[in-house]
Amino acid sequence: MELAFHLRDPAQVKASNDLNGNLSILYGEKAVKGLYWSERHDQESLRLYIGDEFCIHRLPDPAEFDTLCQLAKGENRALTFLTPPLTDDGIDRCGPLFDILKGMDRRTEVVVNDWGVLLFLKKKYPSFQLSVGRLLNKGFKDPRLMNSDEALTLSAETAELFNTCTFDSVEFPEKMRQLNITRVERDLLPFGEPEIECHGELQSSVYFPFGYITTGRVCWMSSFHTVAGKKFSISNGCRQTCQKISLKLNHAKTDLQLIQTGNTIFYLYAPSKLAALVKQAETQKLRLVYQGLIV
Amino acid sequence: MKIAAPLSSATEVEMLLHYGADELYCGVRTPEWEEHFGGQVWMNRRSPQGANLGSWEDIQQVVNLAHRKRIRVHVTLNAPYYSQAGMDYLIKLAEKLISELEIDGLIVSDLNFLMRLAGEKLPVNLHLSSLASCINSRAVDFYQSLGIKRIILPRQLQLSEIKSIVTQSDSPMEFEVFAVNDGCFFEEGFCQTTHALGGPFCLTDWEVSVHRCDGDPISNVQIAQHHAELREYLWYQNNCGSSFQQDGLPNGPCSLCWFGHFRDWGVTTVKIVGREASFYRKMRSLQVVKAVMDEVKAGGAGEEIEQFARSLRATPQYCDQGYMCYFKDR
């Protein structure tokens, strides 16, 4: 198992040393005690994830980015830079960040959540190791399905649909081989089995303890301090309210715990799913990416 | 520029052709799909009953009527994700739609399904659904390499971003842009929910409260106020409560003001949204789009088109409110 932590700012690196403490806040101490963590996830394997998959406004500026890179260097931790879907202008804006990343060691990765960004990086920065992000991995995650018992009453074809996603299709690994991609990023499907299928040479990074449900460029939170009529527009700037506030969403139609951070809605894995994931990570050499510090 | 119009019944074809549709698009439902996947997994993005043609004869009739006027018919197979069993079935369905009914194009989103279709080398045009979220010009090259001939751009773009994608492309790619009806709060290509479970996820009446607050405290009253504004925004996005102006033209999100720019940038087609809309709404949507398109074809400048489009809106207060435009830069 390889363990990684997604950080927003350098101060969070301390919190990354207390994974069980962080998880206890979300699950309670009793549930966390039952998790099997390998003794072997030493400093060497504690990779840092920086950047953001969902929103360009949450990417660090070049100075902050450089600080995070230096932190990883200083701690001898490998680095993964998460990028969101990007417009042409967004790709240009990320140029200085990619240039900084060019100077990092060869363990450094970039996660792409946009096929255009992938082509751009392959051409302009051919030395980068690229991983395909979870926004390019489609599957069924609507929390209003109520619960997994309901899914079990459905046909075999429907159950297959709830249990699989883009990355699981037989066509996908071959396309990744053609593109020279060796890693994909993913999360657990809320109504599927917790096991991650491994396909060919493709390695998997699995985010925990949250999966994402939906996102978009229109942001509830960035509009919070905007005047009526100007809200919910993608052309407004952003005051990064999401760095300080997150929301809970409740409804009788779901028993999942839903949390909104910025433009994205996440669900918390059930304790049993998390436990199964941790166990599988050990035997199948998955990388687990902790995102409890940023949601 | 052409107008792509939606339909969900063969009885709508003559009306759509009469009022100026240049292309038609539709979805289909089949008993085999419903038998295997049930009602909660849709074959395409829209409701089987409300938005899709239900019999082979209906599809045949639509194609025959359209082809008689040399109008192309495109079929949506654009669910964001299909399982292996789903793709196996849809490949056979696609072959039948093409070989027996001679449909002209398929609108697809799922990457694996697209790769399989491309591998089959079927004699049909492949269009990329807005659900594939192509938001930059480099992605155009990616999809072109998979055999895509047209890209339907998503709603969540600014005007300058549309211009960049369309004008920077060196390829012979066609581009289609949303014209009227039905907004979307989330980016549909990244939204892993379904309308099959009681409607759009964003219209569900969530109870919202603070989970974490590290800065100035935020009260539940403030959240409730902001949420009320969200509901107002969603009302606009939902075609202003599916309402019409007094003269019968439809209210709702649109890009009519920007048609002149679309023409100048090289956009191929504008799309009327709403396969599940009523006969009347489809007709009135087409009429308003056609009226603006006639001005575009007459060569009016961008500002003139904008003025003309605004003059058709008998509810300028809706436009002024700021929530009616699909695409904005300001």
Side-chain angles (χ1 to χ4, degrees):
Chain A
M1 180 203 306
E2 183 186 0
L3 197 55
F5 289 85
H6 185 185
L7 307 180
R8 284 228 190 282
D9 73 70
Q12 289 177 320
V13 78
K14 280 184 192 157
S16 72
N17 292 326
D18 183 19
L19 178 58
N20 280 353
N22 279 286
L23 285 170
S24 296
I25 296 168
L26 294 163
Y27 288 100
E29 271 184 40
K30 199 176 161 192
V32 172
K33 265 187 187 166
L35 292 177
Y36 174 70
W37 292 106
S38 168
E39 296 298 320
R40 286 182 288 132
H41 62 77
D42 53 20
Q43 286 286 323
E44 196 78 7
S45 68
L46 291 175
R47 176 178 284 269
L48 297 183
Y49 274 52
I50 60 174
D52 196 272
E53 309 153 85
F54 302 105
C55 180
I56 191 170
H57 299 299
R58 282 206 292 248
L59 293 181
D61 65 29
E64 292 164 340
F65 190 75
D66 192 50
T67 303
L68 287 162
C69 290
Q70 294 312 317
L71 173 77
K73 231 183 219 174
E75 300 230 343
N76 191 28
R77 297 195 185 189
L79 196 69
T80 298
F81 174 36
L82 289 161
T83 61
L86 293 170
T87 61
D88 286 322
D89 181 54
I91 292 173
D92 291 344
R93 281 169 57 190
C94 286
L97 306 185
F98 294 135
D99 288 341
I100 292 170
L101 212 60
K102 222 167 45 169
M104 297 294 289
D105 70 39
R106 61 185 179 82
R107 296 174 299 170
T108 306
E109 298 168 343
V110 181
V111 174
V112 293
N113 281 288
D114 183 302
W115 297 116
V117 175
L118 184 140
L119 288 198
F120 166 77
L121 290 176
K122 281 179 76 68
K123 192 172 174 187
K124 182 101 190 275
Y125 301 90
S127 64
F128 282 1
Q129 288 192 50
L130 303 181
S131 180
V132 172
R134 61 177 159 167
L135 268 73
L136 298 172
N137 189 26
K138 322 288 179 179
F140 186 94
K141 291 180 173 176
D142 197 317
R144 298 170 300 171
L145 189 64
M146 292 291 285
N147 55 50
S148 46
D149 292 342
E150 197 173 325
L152 292 175
T153 65
L154 300 169
S155 68
E157 287 93 341
T158 308
E160 183 201 359
L161 193 117
F162 291 158
N163 254 315
T164 57
C165 48
T166 305
F167 293 173
D168 293 329
S169 281
V170 293
E171 294 78 11
F172 192 78
E174 172 57 19
K175 185 67 188 171
M176 293 305 99
R177 197 189 59 73
Q178 290 167 12
L179 291 167
N180 205 20
I181 300 293
T182 56
R183 178 172 288 279
V184 293
E185 315 285 309
R186 52 198 295 169
D187 52 26
L188 297 181
L189 294 165
F191 305 108
E193 299 297 327
E195 280 76 31
I196 298 292
E197 285 191 42
C198 295
H199 302 278
E201 310 266 300
L202 276 181
Q203 296 177 297
S204 291
S205 308
V206 189
Y207 299 146
F208 77 104
F210 301 103
Y212 107 89
I213 293 169
T214 185
T215 187
R217 295 178 74 194
V218 177
C219 181
W220 190 96
M221 243 165 243
S222 78
S223 305
F224 196 75
H225 298 290
T226 312
V227 297
K230 300 267 184 200
K231 290 176 183 278
F232 314 117
S233 167
I234 63 170
S235 53
N236 290 338
C238 177
R239 293 165 60 173
Q240 302 205 318
T241 307
C242 59
Q243 306 277 24
K244 294 176 179 169
I245 299 168
S246 60
L247 302 172
K248 273 190 295 192
L249 275 66
N250 291 306
H251 199 280
K253 283 183 174 174
T254 184
D255 52 10
L256 292 175
Q257 285 192 53
L258 305 186
I259 293 169
Q260 179 166 1
T261 299
N263 60 351
T264 306
I265 295 176
F266 298 88
Y267 60 97
L268 181 68
Y269 298 160
S272 60
K273 284 209 170 191
L274 179 62
L277 173 65
V278 170
K279 202 170 168 189
Q280 193 200 4
E282 181 63 23
T283 55
Q284 297 205 358
K285 296 190 176 167
L286 300 176
R287 178 191 295 168
L288 297 188
V289 184
Y290 183 65
Q291 286 198 314
L293 300 174
I294 59 104
V295 173
Chain B
M1 276 199 311
K2 295 176 186 167
I3 302 171
L7 63 91
S8 55
S9 163
T11 60
E12 295 165 338
V13 177
E14 288 197 34
M15 174 274 287
L16 293 170
L17 300 186
H18 175 78
Y19 284 110
D22 299 304
E23 297 175 356
L24 301 177
Y25 71 95
C26 60
V28 299
R29 66 173 189 273
T30 67
E32 295 85 10
W33 180 274
E34 284 169 33
E35 184 188 329
H36 288 289
F37 291 99
Q40 289 176 316
V41 180
W42 293 351
M43 192 197 289
N44 56 59
R45 190 60 170 169
R46 299 286 169 213
S47 148
Q49 299 302 328
N52 288 284
L53 297 167
S55 78
W56 209 246
E57 291 73 26
D58 279 351
I59 310 166
Q60 181 78 75
Q61 197 184 348
V62 167
V63 175
N64 289 347
L65 288 169
H67 282 183
R68 227 175 273 163
K69 297 269 176 87
R70 300 186 179 202
I71 297 292
R72 293 182 168 204
V73 179
H74 304 131
V75 174
T76 57
L77 294 176
N78 66 338
Y81 168 69
Y82 294 116
S83 64
Q84 217 66 41
M87 281 195 283
D88 291 345
Y89 171 71
L90 292 177
I91 288 288
K92 287 180 195 150
L93 179 69
E95 285 171 350
K96 206 172 162 190
L97 286 166
I98 297 159
S99 64
E100 292 183 19
L101 301 189
E102 299 181 334
I103 63 152
D104 303 286
L106 290 171
I107 301 170
V108 298
S109 161
D110 181 302
L111 179 70
N112 293 307
F113 184 51
L114 169 58
M115 290 192 291
R116 279 191 66 174
L117 279 171
E120 297 288 332
K121 298 194 187 323
L122 300 172
V124 73
N125 288 322
L126 296 178
H127 293 187
L128 189 73
S129 166
S130 57
L131 273 96
S133 301
C134 176
I135 63 167
N136 60 62
S137 56
R138 276 87 171 189
V140 173
D141 298 334
F142 179 80
Y143 287 112
Q144 192 190 10
S145 74
L146 296 173
I148 289 292
K149 301 286 187 216
R150 179 187 294 180
I151 291 176
I152 304 169
L153 296 176
R155 294 173 179 86
Q156 294 194 353
L157 286 171
Q158 297 181 48
L159 282 171
S160 56
E161 293 164 349
I162 293 174
K163 181 182 180 185
S164 174
I165 295 168
V166 176
T167 59
Q168 285 195 42
S169 172
D170 296 328
S171 69
M173 186 67 76
E174 296 180 358
F175 293 96
E176 185 171 315
V177 173
F178 282 67
V180 290
N181 296 332
D182 294 340
C184 206
F185 184 77
F186 294 104
E187 170 52 57
E188 57 181 347
F190 301 131
C191 184
Q192 308 217 7
T193 70
T194 171
H195 290 196
L197 296 175
F201 181 84
C202 55
L203 295 181
T204 304
D205 201 11
W206 299 102
E207 184 191 313
V208 181
S209 57
V210 175
H211 170 65
R212 173 180 61 84
C213 183
D214 298 335
D216 295 334
I218 174 173
S219 72
N220 284 334
V221 173
Q222 285 174 295
I223 290 177
Q225 277 171 352
H226 190 49
H227 227 59
E229 283 154 5
L230 172 67
R231 278 194 290 275
E232 185 188 5
Y233 169 82
L234 292 172
W235 181 83
Y236 279 97
Q237 294 294 299
N238 199 22
N239 299 332
C240 303
S242 300
S243 63
F244 296 86
Q245 301 178 171
Q246 273 197 330
D247 62 6
L249 295 183
N251 290 320
C254 80
S255 64
L256 297 169
C257 288
W258 316 124
F259 277 20
H261 298 301
F262 295 161
R263 172 202 59 200
D264 297 342
W265 298 337
V267 168
T268 321
T269 307
V270 294
K271 168 182 170 157
I272 298 171
V273 186
R275 284 190 282 130
E276 68 274 58
S278 66
F279 182 100
Y280 184 71
R281 188 171 187 95
K282 285 180 179 123
M283 181 180 78
R284 299 305 255 162
S285 299
L286 178 54
Q287 286 174 330
V288 72
V289 169
K290 181 69 165 61
V292 180
M293 188 62 87
D294 287 344
E295 294 297 308
V296 168
K297 287 186 174 161
E303 296 74 27
E304 291 167 342
I305 306 294
E306 183 177 347
Q307 267 182 351
F308 177 74
R310 283 288 299 238
S311 74
L312 296 175
R313 287 294 194 194
T315 48
Q317 70 277 18
Y318 287 179
C319 294
D320 293 340
Q321 213 287 349
Y323 294 155
M324 283 271 279
C325 304
Y326 284 132
F327 316 113
K328 285 195 288 191
D329 268 348
R330 52 184 187 269

